[in-house]
Amino acid sequence: MKKKLIKKAIEVSQNSYSPYSQFKVGAALLTTTGKIFTGTNIENSSYPAGVCAERVAIFNAISAGEKEFQMLAIYNQEQDKLFYPCGICRQVISEFSKDLPILVANDVDNYVETNIKELLPKAFKL
Ligand code: THU
């Protein structure tokens, strides 16, 4: 399942709209019902209006009525390093899961596994 999820993240990264950064990101989110929701980063000429791949995947799942998540895979093609989710995405992930496993990948076979508790300890919560 981990490789399948990373493959989905790689696929969706091809749809990235990132003419300003040229940084294509793909995210694939597995829900507890076994469905996979994907997202890619979508930029804008008004830079702050852009959105990260992870949030698009999560918002797609929520919009479909899915609120319980099993695993998130994030892909970027950069081969020299692995990119971890930004602070805003960590906060959004933590809204829905306290210990979501997260795969950070730059290839199907090259990834590290972490989780939201490790990436955002002591998350803000109302
Ligand atoms: N980006 C993501 O999609 N996810 C992250 O976790 C970090 C950054 C996107 C936002 C922007 O389109 C591009 O990568 C460069 O920051």
Side-chain angles (χ1 to χ4, degrees):
M1 183 45 92
K2 289 179 185 176
K3 288 194 179 186
K4 184 180 175 187
L5 211 55
I6 294 169
K7 273 187 194 158
K8 290 274 181 193
I10 293 172
E11 271 170 36
V12 71
S13 75
Q14 296 311 307
N15 298 331
S16 169
Y17 178 74
S18 43
Y20 305 103
S21 72
Q22 317 292 336
F23 191 79
K24 293 173 187 275
V25 185
L29 180 66
L30 176 66
T31 66
T32 52
T33 61
K35 290 181 191 148
I36 294 174
F37 293 86
T38 60
T40 191
N41 55 326
I42 304 167
E43 299 184 346
N44 192 279
S45 56
S46 173
Y47 290 3
V51 65
C52 294
E54 298 90 318
R55 271 176 286 155
V56 173
I58 290 169
F59 296 163
N60 274 336
I62 298 293
S63 301
E66 300 271 342
K67 287 193 194 65
E68 289 179 23
F69 308 149
Q70 266 191 66
M71 189 173 283
L72 173 68
I74 307 163
Y75 168 82
N76 173 265
Q77 66 193 1
E78 179 65 54
Q79 291 304 297
D80 296 340
K81 64 180 281 196
L82 290 164
F83 288 92
Y84 288 81
C86 81
I88 297 175
C89 288
R90 294 180 196 201
Q91 179 64 29
V92 170
I93 293 164
S94 79
E95 179 76 19
F96 299 103
S97 175
K98 296 297 153 252
D99 53 8
L100 184 71
I102 299 173
L103 310 174
V104 177
N106 62 11
D107 207 335
V108 194
D109 301 310
N110 195 48
Y111 62 90
V112 292
E113 185 165 349
T114 180
N115 61 69
I116 191 59
K117 205 182 277 177
E118 183 176 57
L119 294 182
L120 190 64
K122 299 179 181 160
F124 174 76
K125 184 81 187 149
L126 282 178

